[in-house]
Structure formats: C-alpha cells, structure tokens
Amino acid sequence: MTSTHVSEQNAGLRVMWTYIATGLAIFVLMLLVGIVTRASQAGWLPLDPGSFYSLLSLHGVGMIVAMAISGLGVLWYLARREMELDESIAFIAYGFFLAGTVCVIVSAIPGRYGSLWTMLYPLPFVGTYWPSWATGTWLIGNALVMLGFMLWCGQMLGALLARYGGVRGMLAVDYVLRNRDFTQSGKKPPPPQMFAAAITAFDGFITGTVGLVIGTALIVHWMDPSVALDPLWAKNLTYLFGHSFANLTMYMAVAGIYVGLPLCTKREYHTSPPLVVAWWGTLLFVIIAYFHHLYMDFVQMQWMQFVGEIASYLAAIPVVVVTVYGGVMLVHRSGMRWSLGAMFLYAGMIGWVVGGIAAVLDATIPANVDLHNTLWVPGHFHTYLLEGVLLFILGWVFVNLEQRAQAASGLLTRWLIGVGMFGGGALFLLGFYLAGAFGVPRRYAVEPAPGPFFASLATMGALIFLAGFVICGAEAWRLARLPKRQAVG
Ligand code: HEM
C-alpha cells in the first residue's frame, strides 16, 4: 500500500469515526430523554405536560439527526473507497450538523420549545408556553441541519455523476436494460452500496431543498407574523421533508449490510438487476410516499391519497425484499461466526422487515382509518430505527472493531447484549404496538387507559435495552483497545 493510499484511507476513517462517534453520543443523550418521556407516560415520573413536550421535541429530532449523522459517516467512507471525495467538505457539513444540534438543544432545554419537529403550522406560533426566541432557534437549528445535509448530498451526487459518467451510469440503466451488451463489453455496474449513496444523495437533495423552503417560510412568518402561510401547503412540505429525511436514515445505514455482511461471511454481495430495479423504486417513490400522512386531510386532492398508498408500497417493499433475501443467502451455509457485528447486521434486517410491514399496514387506507395517529405509528418507526438503522450502524462498528483486532466477544457477553438490546427492545416496541391497536393516541403527555399500563411495560423494556446497550458500549471499548492486527478493507 503506498503512503498516499494510506493517508487517503486515514482521511476516510477520520470522517467516518467522527460522524459515528458524534451520532452515537447524541443517540445516548436522546435515549435517556426518550426513557424519561416514556416513564412519564407510564406515570412513573411526575413530568408536567410542558416539560414532556419540550423533551419529546428534543428526543424526536435529536434521534433522527443522530441516526442520520452516523449513517452519513458510514456511507461517506464506503463511497470514498470507490471515488474522489474531499474530506474538508464532509467536515464543513459536520459543522452545520453540530451547530444545528446545539440550536435545537438550546431551544428545547432552556427555551422550552414544545411543538415537536413535524409540527403543523400555525402551531409553533400560537398559544405557546415558551418564548418566541425558542421557536426561532428551533427553526434555525433545523435549517442548519438541512444545510449540512444538502452539502453532503451535493458533494456525493457530484462525485457519483463524475465517477459513473452521468445518471445512466450512476443508476446502472444499461446494466439492466441492455444487460448482455453491457456485460459482454466487460463493464461493471456500481457496487450495491453506491446505490444507497446515490438514492440518499438524490432524494436527500430534494428533501433538503423542501425542508429549507418550508423552514425559510416559517422563519419569515416568525419574523413578520403578517406573512401568512397556507396550512395545507405547509403540511405537505413539512411531511415531505420530515418523512423522507427519517426514511432516508434507513437507506444510509443499509450500506453496512452490503459491505459488512460480506466481511463476516467471506462472500461478496453482488449488484444484480433486481437489486438495481428495487433501488429505482425507492428513488422514485420515497419522495411521494409521505402522502400517507395526509389521508385524514379531506382538503387534499383525492388522487394523491391513492398515489400515496401505492408509493408507500413501492418505496419500501422491493428494496427490503431484495436486500434481505440477498443478505440471508449470503449467510446461508456460509459457516459465518455469530460475532456481535454479524448479530447486529442480521437482527437489523429483521427489524427492518418487521418495521416495514407495520409501516405498510399503516399506510394502507382502510387500516389507517383505525391506526392513524395512534401509538402504532411510533411503534413502526421505532422498530426500523431502533432495531434496524441503529443495529446496522452498530453492526458496521463491531465488524470493523472485530476485524481490526482479529477478536470476537465471548458467548456470555453476546447473550447479555442480545437479551438486553433485542429482548428489551422488543418489549419496548410491543408497548407501542399494543397501545396503538387499542387506539391509544400518540403524542399525549397523559394517555387515556390502557396507555399507562402499556407505557409501564415499554419503560421496563427500554430499561432492559439500556442495560444491554451499556454492556455493548463496554464491549466496544474493550475491542477498540486491543492492538491492531489487520486493516479493515
Ligand atoms: C429505548 C429507546 C427509546 C425510547 C424509550 C423512546 C421513547 C419515545 C416516546 C415515549 C415517544 C413518544 C411517543 C408518543 O406518545 O407519540 C417517542 C417518539 C419519537 N421517537 Fe423515540 N424512543 C426511543 C428510541 C428512539 C430512536 C432510536 C429513535 C430514532 C432513531 C426515536 C425517534 C423518535 C421520534 C422521531 C419520535 C416522534 C416524536 C414526535 O412525535 O414528533 N426514538 N419516543
């Protein structure tokens, strides 16, 4: 390996570990905040509704940003192994993420901002129990995060287009439509993780633009309340931005499977035409699937509701099915050792499937009539975020630590972490699903019965999860301190 190559690789690793460490640090803080809010719904903690909503606002946006920063770090590193990417741009984007996160914390903790992150206009401006500056700081904080995200997406998109000679190459159009000519000419399609990068960058750029449009409109209204916004327009833009950004965190982290599982199984995850077509589905539909958040809005044009249902199916199902099928085939009869890295990646696929099914169910109009705005909704997204995105990130982290030290964790440690994080996590999630099935509304500081009963179960589950996560942190620390035996590819 030449010295230029080593310093290039170190630069990639610097970006990746800075992003992951920051994302996971924010995650830990938000995990504690989440447990406090769930314990308060259970009646275990005397939290007044104002403090509950401020903490929940912080938890919601903080968690999404935590997952996004970690996932973007992994994806940036993996993409940089295939093409030119300037490290300094990644650090400027990182600066925006940090500045945005600080603004959001200031606005929620001393400022007591409390109308959540996907709030409905004119909510953050009327009847508030917090000062006006807190609303402004919140909006500016979110806008800063979006600026960082767009910078990341812009850099990635530009590099991808240059590397693969335009959109056709980046999306492997000829590889799918003229497969024989393409393969006979000796060309190769981009590896699977580059589709995750392309879709994140392309849809992320649209998401960021929309987020900034609605963010700027809200900031203008905050500065001059005589400038009124159309509430339906505001809701459409808010959910296009909010739904897509949260959803994209999954597509960032999925890259960990394409590269991490092969390291565990010693087999390669190949690009195939079904995989490419599945990613095309996500590219096109993830951005309009948000219509399912507006099923109850009778003023929304009716055709959009049907498009929303179809798009929800097409954005999620093909890519989950093809990726997970490929992942399972990779593991099947590979003789893979169930190290922590492998466990996290595999369990993450299960979380992705379960959360995906619950999401698609909720996006189905007749089911949505019952499930809309019940705790089923946080049930589905906590499944794919906590037991999907987070596990993919931890899986990638552990695969790296294990390969670097050529070491693995003991059986007892793996059991303790498995029972804590998967068992405790499942109990925590069950609390949301069961309460949702009983019609308990989401986003209530004080829930009607049987909400508090399920919240108690969920809080116990969350505490067990926390115990598992603490052991996981200690194990990561132990592995990281072992001498380096091998560089990770
Ligand atoms: C064990 C860990 C966690 C606990 C105890 C927890 C707790 C909660 C609670 C109690 C709610 C409010 C539910 C409601 O009544 O609507 C909530 C909402 C939310 N959580 Fe979590 N959560 C956890 C993990 C996560 C993770 C990993 C993420 C994302 C990566 C996340 C993102 C969110 C979001 C986006 C909301 C919605 C906030 C809103 O309605 O605006 N949470 N969480």
Side-chain angles (χ1 to χ4, degrees), residues 27 31 34-35 37-38 41 56 59-60 63-64 67 116-117 375 378 381-382 385-386 428 432 442-444 447 462 465:
F27 170 82
L31 179 66
I35 293 177
T37 52
R38 201 65 180 126
Q41 286 174 325
L56 187 56
H59 168 79
M63 274 296 193
I64 299 289
M67 291 299 101
L116 306 171
W117 77 296
L375 284 173
F381 67 70
H382 278 87
L385 290 166
L386 187 70
F428 163 67
F432 277 144
R442 70 179 285 208
R443 290 179 162 179
Y444 270 38
E447 293 176 347
F465 176 92

Side-chain angles (χ1 to χ4, degrees), residues 255-278:
I257 305 185
Y258 295 138
V259 187
L261 263 190
L263 288 172
C264 302
T265 56
K266 316 261 184 294
R267 290 171 167 177
E268 208 176 324
Y269 202 124
H270 293 286
T271 296
S272 61
L275 184 81
V276 179
V277 174

Side-chain angles (χ1 to χ4, degrees), residues 203-391:
D203 287 325
F205 206 79
I206 300 175
T207 303
T209 309
V210 171
L212 281 178
V213 169
I214 182 65
T216 310
L218 291 170
I219 291 170
V220 169
H221 180 80
W222 170 64
M223 290 163 64
D224 179 359
S226 70
V227 181
L229 308 182
D230 178 277
L232 185 64
W233 174 82
K235 184 168 182 183
N236 270 281
L237 266 61
T238 302
Y239 274 95
L240 194 163
F241 143 72
H243 173 87
S244 313
F245 187 49
N247 227 219
L248 285 174
T249 60
M250 172 52 82
Y251 301 120
M252 301 165 191
V254 142
I257 305 185
Y258 295 138
V259 187
L261 263 190
L263 288 172
C264 302
T265 56
K266 316 261 184 294
R267 290 171 167 177
E268 208 176 324
Y269 202 124
H270 293 286
T271 296
S272 61
L275 184 81
V276 179
V277 174
W279 276 110
W280 290 353
T282 307
L283 174 88
L284 288 179
F285 296 111
V286 82
I287 219 79
I288 47 174
Y290 85 88
F291 287 151
H292 62 225
H293 283 276
L294 285 98
Y295 287 156
M296 296 290 162
D297 295 70
F298 58 88
V299 281
Q300 181 86 334
M301 281 175 279
Q302 205 185 35
W303 63 265
M304 288 183 163
Q305 314 292 25
F306 295 111
V307 171
E309 180 165 320
I310 296 164
S312 305
Y313 278 69
L314 293 180
I317 295 176
V319 78
V320 178
V321 170
V322 180
T323 301
V324 171
Y325 180 77
V328 172
M329 284 300 108
L330 219 60
V331 172
H332 184 61
R333 293 175 185 244
S334 68
M336 178 183 85
R337 288 183 60 199
W338 288 95
S339 69
L340 270 180
M343 270 169 60
F344 280 136
L345 291 174
Y346 201 83
M349 293 199 291
I350 300 173
W352 189 17
V353 171
V354 175
I357 292 172
V360 167
L361 200 65
D362 187 26
T364 308
I365 294 172
N368 186 269
V369 172
D370 287 322
L371 297 176
H372 192 84
N373 276 352
T374 66
L375 284 173
W376 187 274
V377 180
H380 92 252
F381 67 70
H382 278 87
T383 310
Y384 78 72
L385 290 166
L386 187 70
E387 299 290 339
V389 177
L390 177 73
L391 298 192

Side-chain angles (χ1 to χ4, degrees), residues 65-224:
V65 171
M67 291 299 101
I69 297 181
S70 316
L72 291 174
V74 174
L75 202 47
W76 195 91
Y77 169 73
L78 294 178
R80 193 172 197 269
R81 300 190 322 173
E82 309 290 327
M83 62 195 195
E84 291 275 314
L85 282 173
D86 183 353
E87 182 192 3
S88 56
I89 297 184
F91 278 115
I92 297 174
Y94 174 78
F96 277 108
F97 291 137
L98 275 197
T101 306
V102 170
C103 284
V104 162
I105 294 176
V106 169
S107 111
I109 300 293
R112 289 177 55 82
Y113 170 89
S115 69
L116 306 171
W117 77 296
T118 48
M119 83 302 266
L120 297 184
Y121 171 85
L123 196 55
F125 307 102
V126 286
T128 63
Y129 58 85
W130 59 89
S132 167
W133 69 259
T135 303
T137 312
W138 177 270
L139 294 172
I140 291 168
N142 278 274
L144 287 171
V145 170
M146 276 308 107
L147 279 172
F149 184 46
M150 285 185 71
L151 196 55
W152 188 101
C153 293
Q155 180 192 31
M156 187 62 67
L157 204 52
L160 282 163
L161 293 172
R163 167 74 177 77
Y164 296 107
V167 177
R168 272 179 96 95
M170 177 178 87
L171 296 177
V173 175
D174 293 330
Y175 170 66
V176 174
L177 300 184
R178 301 177 339 127
N179 186 274
R180 188 189 298 211
D181 293 348
F182 186 88
T183 34
Q184 276 177 356
S185 67
K187 290 186 196 152
K188 289 227 178 319
Q193 65 274 20
M194 298 311 269
F195 293 96
I199 274 62
T200 301
F202 188 89
D203 287 325
F205 206 79
I206 300 175
T207 303
T209 309
V210 171
L212 281 178
V213 169
I214 182 65
T216 310
L218 291 170
I219 291 170
V220 169
H221 180 80
W222 170 64
M223 290 163 64
D224 179 359

